[in-house]
Amino acid sequence: MPTPKKGPRLASSPAHERLMLANMATSLFQNGRITTTLPKAKRLRPLAERLITFAKRGDLHSRRRVMRVIRNKSVVHVLFTQIAEQMEQREGGYTRIVKIAPRKGDATPMAIIELVTEPVAKKAVVKEAEAATKVEAKDEAPAAEAPVEETAAEATEAPAEAAETTEAEQAE
């Protein structure tokens, strides 16, 4: 076997790893959460999030790309109808990995990987936006007075220029 390009493989071959991740993704979308080893959960997360992003698009090409990984049509249907609808307001971070106690037999670090189903907290975003508008309002108040002064200066210069042009026209 050639040495892997990026990081260690989870199983004996790249093909087996792909199949293992596809099976774990299928189980994740069926059940909403799975318990697995921590390295497997970390490898599954990018794949699952990419599949959810395809599901949020919802077009035929995205469905076919998801079907390359997940072979179960009923799971793909659930992904595109229910899970994508839940994740519509979310811009990423569709999954959560929670570390749990090590496995009893061999002390392997274990984790739960689950779909994040809570709605996006818009309250924090609204507070940040209101704070930003207050800061902009304070910045605009002095800025609003500055153009008035400039226009007054321009107004005094404009008649002087007009007077110069009329004197030049009279001289001709």
Side-chain angles (χ1 to χ4, degrees):
M1 181 180 121
T3 56
K5 299 280 187 234
K6 290 184 178 178
R9 298 281 178 206
L10 294 176
S12 60
S13 69
H16 186 230
E17 180 180 7
R18 265 194 312 275
L19 290 172
M20 216 171 31
L21 289 174
N23 286 335
M24 286 194 300
T26 302
S27 297
L28 177 65
F29 296 139
Q30 269 181 339
N31 304 318
R33 76 167 44 187
I34 57 173
T35 303
T36 183
T37 63
L38 185 60
K40 285 181 184 177
K42 286 182 177 181
R43 293 296 297 263
L44 176 62
R45 180 183 223 165
L47 175 69
E49 295 203 359
R50 187 166 54 246
L51 293 176
I52 292 171
T53 303
F54 284 137
K56 282 174 63 176
R57 286 189 204 157
D59 58 347
L60 181 62
H61 181 63
S62 299
R63 188 174 290 263
R64 287 180 175 162
R65 288 193 64 178
V66 170
M67 284 293 293
R68 284 189 215 166
V69 178
I70 299 175
R71 303 297 176 129
N72 191 340
K73 287 185 181 181
S74 62
V75 173
V76 173
H77 178 72
V78 168
L79 175 63
F80 273 75
T81 56
Q82 296 173 3
I83 297 173
E85 185 179 306
Q86 288 176 349
M87 305 294 178
E88 194 62 39
Q89 301 298 322
R90 198 171 282 279
E91 294 182 4
Y94 310 120
T95 58
R96 171 188 305 135
I97 296 176
V98 180
K99 294 179 185 178
I100 57 175
R103 190 160 51 196
K104 192 171 185 179
D106 57 358
T108 302
M110 299 295 287
I112 295 174
I113 182 166
E114 60 187 357
L115 297 174
V116 178
T117 56
E118 293 87 24
V120 178
K122 292 188 177 184
K123 294 178 183 178
V125 175
V126 171
K127 288 180 183 178
E128 290 177 30
E130 289 175 353
T133 28
K134 288 180 183 177
V135 170
E136 289 176 2
K138 290 178 184 177
D139 291 342
E140 288 177 355
E145 295 172 0
V148 173
E149 295 172 359
E150 293 174 3
T151 55
E154 291 172 1
T156 56
E157 293 173 5
E161 291 174 4
E164 291 173 5
T165 56
T166 54
E167 290 174 2
E169 290 173 0
Q170 289 176 356
E172 293 178 23

